[in-house]
Amino acid sequence: MKKLKEYLKYNYSIRIVQYSDGVYCAEIESIEGLCAYGKTPQEALLQLQDVKEAAFELMIKHGKEPPIPNVQLQIPINIFEKFPYRSKLQQFVKV
């Protein structure tokens, strides 16, 4: 398992929404329940960094590896068909 510092380097997809009461919520979309709140989007993002670090620290402490973000690529089929190792990549293809 990697060290906390290594997991914190990853960039996760973050969604920010504003609720009807004006509060902003920043959440890491790929990690259910990992979110933070603030009066501004910037404040919510700063809070999210602290929440992410605390959550990852707890995961590591309890022997659970924090999730690593996924990367999604969109490659035209005519280009993908030319890849020399496409058979190895086929398992990752979503149609």
Side-chain angles (χ1 to χ4, degrees):
M1 189 175 318
K2 300 175 184 175
K3 296 188 184 276
L4 175 63
K5 212 165 68 171
E6 295 176 60
Y7 289 106
L8 295 175
K9 289 181 184 177
Y10 291 120
N11 291 317
Y12 293 84
S13 177
I14 296 171
R15 182 175 75 143
I16 300 174
V17 295
Q18 184 179 24
Y19 294 122
S20 58
D21 62 358
V23 172
Y24 288 88
C25 173
E27 65 179 331
I28 296 178
E29 295 180 295
S30 61
I31 306 174
E32 188 176 335
L34 194 59
C35 61
Y37 303 92
K39 294 178 184 176
T40 65
Q42 295 81 5
E43 184 181 327
L45 281 172
L46 285 172
Q47 294 295 326
L48 182 62
Q49 293 307 312
D50 292 340
V51 169
K52 179 175 80 170
E53 185 171 346
F56 286 8
E57 192 172 359
L58 279 172
M59 288 177 193
I60 292 169
K61 181 180 177 181
H62 293 284
K64 184 176 179 185
E65 186 171 11
I68 296 172
N70 293 325
V71 175
Q72 183 177 10
L73 301 174
Q74 294 185 358
I75 303 170
I77 192 72
N78 61 328
I79 293 173
F80 179 76
E81 289 174 348
K82 295 176 186 174
F83 284 179
Y85 300 103
R86 72 177 177 273
S87 61
K88 292 182 180 181
L89 297 172
Q90 193 65 43
Q91 63 180 321
F92 303 107
V93 173
K94 291 183 181 180
V95 181

